[in-house]
Amino acid sequence: MKAKGRTAVELQGLHGQVVDRIGASLADDERRAGRVLRLEDVQAEYGVSRTVAREAIRVLESKRVVHSRPRVGITVRPLPEWNLYDPQVIRWRLATSQRREQLRELAELRAAVEPAAASLGALRSDGALRERLLGHARDMADAAGEGDLKRFIAADAAFHRTLLASSANAMFAQLADVTEELLVARGELALMPDRVDDASVRRHVDAARAVADGDPAGAAACVRVILDRSRGEVEGLLDGGDPSTGGPGGCAFGE
């Protein structure tokens, strides 16, 4: 299964481009919460028709970025009221000075959910899902061996999507788009090491095997290590240092 990446939120025509530009500027705090937007201003600033401006605002409303009220107009919501799980909103925040905060929040969200999903997957998933998970881990190994970072990221995203689905918890599964946006963004924002660490691949293989073997504690432990090492890589690259995370290759060591 391929990572959807940007195709999941592909811009739809001119109004989609306007949505992206307005959303990015709002995420970067160029327009403060509570500020009123007028359709006339959107038309003038972006050189679009009233119809396009209105459709762009409608999309922003659907993401809870703005809201419209009679006799008040279109008002920018405070950031905590936005749909922060929307992949496009995540991308906007990752492109701003809020990048580190967004990455921290995503890492904390994943740490809270994915080990639990892995544990449930070991208990609940069927043979087909377990085989898919092992297949994605093997695809990661093949891509790493070939030095194909793009293919590696796609396989990594597919691995974590399948892991969340294996939990048989629909709410966990719907977080897959959030995880996928983060993994794709890491590649685009140069937050991946130049060469994929073999140990990282082995950890994913170990996690898939633990799920396939019906070992909930082992699966959760493996995923915790994967996420800890991933967070360490990102923080090291953000700080301009060594992205190496160190530690043993696999995850069967009680961490």
Side-chain angles (χ1 to χ4, degrees):
M1 182 176 181
K2 293 184 179 180
K4 291 191 292 183
R6 291 197 180 281
T7 62
V9 286
E10 185 178 1
L11 297 181
Q12 299 296 319
L14 185 56
H15 81 269
Q17 297 173 41
V18 175
V19 167
D20 205 49
R21 291 174 64 186
I22 295 176
S25 70
L26 293 175
D28 207 23
D29 230 10
E30 290 180 16
R31 295 185 174 93
R32 302 291 178 179
R35 177 173 173 178
V36 175
L37 303 179
R38 299 191 314 149
L39 286 177
E40 293 82 1
D41 295 335
V42 173
Q43 288 178 253
E45 184 171 351
Y46 298 101
V48 296
S49 69
R50 190 173 185 83
T51 298
V52 169
R54 185 182 295 111
E55 181 62 18
I57 293 300
R58 186 195 65 77
V59 174
L60 290 169
E61 281 189 280
S62 74
K63 298 176 185 292
R64 302 203 303 269
V65 173
V66 301
H67 63 104
S68 300
R69 290 186 294 175
R71 297 187 296 277
V72 174
I74 303 156
T75 308
V76 180
R77 290 178 178 266
L79 183 66
E81 295 181 7
W82 294 19
N83 180 5
L84 299 179
Y85 292 95
D86 186 300
Q88 194 171 19
V89 172
I90 291 171
R91 190 180 322 122
W92 292 337
R93 295 184 70 199
L94 286 172
T96 71
S97 58
Q98 297 183 45
R99 177 181 300 176
R100 186 181 288 270
E101 180 181 1
Q102 173 70 106
L103 288 167
R104 174 185 59 78
E105 290 176 355
L106 288 168
E108 290 171 355
L109 176 66
R110 295 183 70 195
V113 172
E114 290 197 40
S119 179
L120 290 172
L123 296 171
R124 297 176 176 174
S125 61
D126 60 24
L129 268 175
R130 295 179 183 198
E131 185 54 41
R132 277 171 52 195
L133 194 64
L134 285 164
H136 294 318
R138 288 191 289 266
D139 288 344
M140 291 175 67
D142 291 344
E146 296 170 6
D148 188 337
L149 185 58
K150 184 175 180 181
R151 182 183 165 200
F152 178 85
I153 291 171
D156 194 10
F159 176 94
H160 289 278
R161 178 176 290 276
T162 303
L163 179 71
L164 289 165
S166 76
S167 68
N169 181 313
M171 296 185 75
F172 281 6
Q174 286 199 9
L175 290 174
D177 287 345
V178 173
T179 295
E180 190 164 322
E181 187 60 38
L182 170 62
L183 294 172
V184 172
R186 282 192 64 187
E188 294 178 350
L189 298 172
L191 293 175
M192 291 282 290
D194 293 334
R195 182 181 178 280
V196 176
D197 183 10
D198 290 340
S200 174
V201 175
R202 287 196 294 276
R203 293 178 194 120
H204 284 77
V205 172
D206 286 348
R209 285 176 177 163
V211 171
D213 291 343
D215 178 4
C222 283
V223 171
R224 285 192 196 97
V225 175
I226 289 170
L227 299 178
D228 285 347
R229 298 295 191 261
S230 176
R231 185 170 184 175
E233 280 183 352
V234 170
E235 289 176 350
L237 288 163
L238 284 172
D239 292 336
D242 184 356
S244 174
T245 55
C251 56
F253 48 87
E255 286 195 36

